[in-house]
Amino acid sequence: GHYEYNGKIFLEGLVFGELLEEDMLIQLWTGSPLASLQEKKLPERDMYWKNALIVAVGNEKAHVAYLASANDVDETVEKNVPLDRIRIILGADESIPDTLEEARLMAMGGEEIQVVPSVDASSNNKAQIDEATGLSTWSTVAIKRTTVRQEVKEERKRTREKRKQALAEQEAKEKEIAARKMEEAKAANADDSALGSIYFAELGREVQGYKGVDISDTGDDKLTIRDTAK
């Protein structure tokens, strides 16, 4: 699950995948996808390992970001990278264990339960006899070990989850406000259309029942200038 090269200890992603978390510094294999695990360990293949950052961690896969070439300004994001293309440099940053023992412990979830025989002075360290079976037994004590780094990692995870939840709630609230404004705009437009229809209906009735002089009257009785002078 690990190997040493050029004074550094590398942890294989397949074995130490539980250590991965967002923003962690790792190395990504960019060589042939057909290369075996043994080939990837060869010193002459080291050029194909590029520094990268974990963007997200999924089920035995991860999204990673890296610079494809030294001249690139924008990072390349590769999704669903299998763990056999990832390795971790022991102690590379504060989120990565400094020792193999701690790395193994964190790979098991950050906890280890050791069961050891208990020491009872009154029994003179003699095995107790099980009355049901007649066989000797030892009483045991379970000791739970948890790394400080694992506790910090879990706290960072809780903080990220809270941040994501807050962003999701904010986005939902903004969508709700936008939808409400759209409904209000539709209602206002509907009211304007209704008022317009009433206005034109009333205008139509007024024109139809107009009581003044109808200048469009084409009847025989026409007013002349002489008539208006009377």
Side-chain angles (χ1 to χ4, degrees):
H2 72 279
Y3 58 96
E4 188 172 352
Y5 164 68
N6 201 21
K8 297 178 182 178
I9 296 177
F10 299 97
L11 309 176
E12 296 176 347
L14 280 175
V15 177
F16 292 92
E18 286 295 324
L19 273 65
L20 298 177
E21 61 175 302
E22 292 180 19
D23 299 325
M24 175 181 281
L25 176 65
I26 55 103
Q27 288 194 326
L28 174 70
W29 172 260
T30 60
S32 171
L34 300 178
S36 66
L37 290 176
Q38 291 303 319
E39 287 181 83
K40 294 174 183 177
K41 295 178 183 180
L42 296 174
E44 55 266 30
R45 298 288 190 273
D46 193 62
M47 67 182 73
Y48 296 111
W49 288 99
K50 291 185 178 293
N51 291 330
L53 286 177
I54 295 292
V55 177
V57 181
N59 185 19
E60 297 185 354
K61 291 184 179 181
H63 300 345
V64 300
Y66 64 99
L67 295 176
S69 69
N71 297 325
D72 285 355
V73 176
D74 297 327
E75 293 179 330
T76 297
V77 176
E78 191 170 343
K79 297 183 178 181
N80 299 320
V81 175
L83 297 184
D84 62 357
R85 291 182 54 203
I86 293 175
R87 71 181 183 182
I88 305 167
I89 302 176
L90 193 70
D93 68 23
E94 61 181 10
S95 64
I96 302 174
D98 299 317
T99 65
L100 277 174
E101 182 182 3
E102 186 181 7
R104 291 193 182 102
L105 187 56
M106 289 186 67
M108 294 187 296
E111 295 181 351
E112 181 183 39
I113 297 178
Q114 297 177 331
V115 178
V116 297
S118 64
V119 177
D120 187 351
S122 61
S123 63
N124 295 322
N125 293 334
K126 293 181 180 179
Q128 299 176 357
I129 303 300
D130 188 335
E131 295 180 358
T133 63
L135 300 175
S136 61
T137 62
W138 290 97
S139 59
T140 58
V141 175
I143 301 175
K144 180 179 178 181
R145 296 175 59 201
T146 303
T147 67
V148 174
R149 200 182 303 271
Q150 178 67 20
E151 294 175 353
V152 174
K153 177 182 177 181
E154 291 174 356
E155 181 61 30
R156 284 197 300 266
K157 183 178 180 180
R158 286 191 291 268
T159 301
R160 285 194 297 267
E161 291 298 328
K162 288 179 181 178
R163 190 183 304 125
K164 289 179 181 178
Q165 184 178 355
L167 288 174
E169 291 176 355
Q170 182 63 28
E171 288 178 1
K173 187 179 297 184
E174 290 175 357
K175 288 181 180 179
E176 183 181 352
I177 292 173
R180 191 184 307 123
K181 287 182 178 179
M182 188 175 294
E183 291 298 325
E184 291 173 354
K186 287 181 180 179
N189 290 335
D191 290 342
D192 291 343
S193 299
L195 288 173
S197 299
I198 294 172
Y199 170 75
F200 284 111
E202 291 295 333
L203 181 60
R205 281 196 291 270
E206 290 178 3
V207 171
Q208 186 176 4
Y210 182 68
K211 296 287 192 292
V213 177
D214 188 356
I215 61 174
S216 64
D217 187 4
T218 57
D220 296 334
D221 297 334
K222 295 181 179 178
L223 289 175
T224 64
I225 294 177
R226 184 178 298 174
D227 293 330
T228 56
K230 292 180 181 180

